[in-house]
């Protein structure tokens, strides 16, 4: 073994036993002189710091991975809930759109400036106007001229106070034919008020 060590000149030998203890041996041989430097180190003591650092590194990486896994799981759960909420909202919107389109009562929707932004087919049939003719106009387009200014002022005061007005009104079709209607006007607020 010494000859092999002399030929290699420098190296280590692991798993030797010295007095029942596992030791690591490091050596340095000289080619010029008949000398060897051999050091035996208790393997457990030599590797203790490395093992401690390895344990600490693995614990840190494991904790980091666990945190990433937990955060990822929470984000996935949140994303799934959001998708489910969006799907539910989409179904509700589809149902409301079908109700709006297939309703037998005429319905129109205005913006806060009282411009018509949507009408359903029933309103087109009752009024004689197409949606293209109505959208962008004020509902005054239906005014028959049979109600005075105070009538409309009371209507808007009631809507501003309670958010709803119901009553009989005489409106006018596109053909100028007068029509008696039971009208319901409701204020609906979005998330911006």
């Amino acid at each position: 073994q010494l000859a092999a060590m002399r030929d290699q000149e420098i190296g280590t030998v692991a798993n030797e036993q010295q007095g029942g203890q596992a030791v690591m041996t490091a050596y340095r041989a000289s080619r010029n002189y008949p000398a060897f430097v051999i050091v035996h180190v208790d393997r457990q003591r030599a590797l203790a710091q490395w093992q401690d650092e390895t344990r600490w590194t693995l614990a840190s990486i494991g904790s980091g991975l666990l945190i990433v896994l937990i955060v990822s799981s929470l984000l996935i759960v949140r994303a799934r809930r959001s998708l489910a909420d969006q799907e539910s909202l989409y179904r509700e919107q589809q149902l409301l759109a079908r109700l709006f389109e297939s309703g037998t009562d005429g319905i129109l929707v205005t913006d806060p400036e009282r411009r018509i932004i949507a009408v359903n087919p029933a309103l087109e049939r009752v009024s004689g106007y197409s949606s293209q003719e109505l959208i962008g106009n004020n509902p005054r387009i239906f005014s028959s001229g049979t109600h005075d200014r105070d009538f409309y002022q009371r209507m808007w005061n009631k809507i501003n106070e309670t958010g709803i007005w119901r009553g009989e009104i005489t409106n006018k079709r596109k053909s100028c034919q007068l029509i008696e209607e039971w009208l319901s006007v409701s204020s609906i607020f979005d998330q911006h008020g």
Side-chain angles (χ1 to χ4, degrees):
Q1 189 175 17
L2 286 178
M5 292 169 81
R6 185 183 64 227
D7 292 340
Q8 278 190 318
E9 200 173 325
I10 189 168
T12 59
V13 178
N15 296 328
E16 285 191 356
Q17 295 291 325
Q18 187 176 27
Q21 293 269 350
V23 293
M24 295 177 68
T25 302
Y27 63 88
R28 172 86 161 112
S30 173
R31 289 188 181 175
N32 299 328
Y33 303 102
F36 281 95
V37 176
I38 298 174
V39 178
H40 297 288
V41 179
D42 181 341
R43 182 177 177 193
Q44 201 61 23
R45 264 195 348 194
L47 296 177
Q49 183 179 357
W50 176 82
Q51 289 171 339
D52 288 344
E53 288 175 0
T54 302
R55 280 189 206 106
W56 186 87
T57 301
L58 289 174
S60 297
I61 291 171
S63 299
L65 288 175
L66 182 61
I67 289 170
V68 167
L69 181 65
I70 290 170
V71 168
S72 297
S73 297
L74 291 174
L75 289 174
I76 289 170
V77 166
R78 185 175 178 182
R80 284 185 177 164
R81 279 190 197 143
S82 177
L83 287 174
D85 290 346
Q86 287 177 356
E87 179 66 28
S88 176
L89 181 61
Y90 177 75
R91 284 193 305 271
E92 287 176 18
Q93 288 173 338
Q94 292 298 316
L95 176 62
L96 290 174
R98 285 194 300 270
L99 287 170
F100 184 77
E101 291 296 319
S102 64
T104 57
D105 292 331
I107 301 171
L108 68 84
V109 180
T110 66
D111 62 12
E113 287 76 36
R114 299 179 186 160
R115 289 185 303 253
I116 298 171
I117 58 173
V119 297
N120 71 344
L123 184 69
E124 290 178 299
R125 284 190 303 275
V126 169
S127 71
Y129 289 100
S130 70
S131 62
Q132 291 84 8
E133 293 172 301
L134 292 173
I135 292 179
N137 276 309
N138 188 291
R140 279 190 295 254
I141 195 169
F142 302 116
S143 178
S144 64
T146 59
H147 301 285
D148 61 10
R149 190 179 178 126
D150 285 342
F151 174 84
Y152 291 107
Q153 189 60 49
R154 286 190 307 272
M155 176 195 298
W156 286 111
N157 288 342
K158 181 73 170 177
I159 292 169
N160 290 333
E161 289 172 17
T162 65
I164 193 162
W165 179 87
R166 290 185 179 104
E168 281 191 41
I169 191 167
T170 304
N171 277 330
K172 176 179 67 172
R173 291 188 169 117
K174 182 179 179 180
S175 65
C176 293
Q177 178 187 3
L178 298 182
I179 181 172
E180 294 287 327
E181 297 181 296
W182 177 260
L183 189 64
S184 177
V185 180
S186 300
S187 294
I188 299 172
F189 297 93
D190 64 9
Q191 68 272 21
H192 305 294

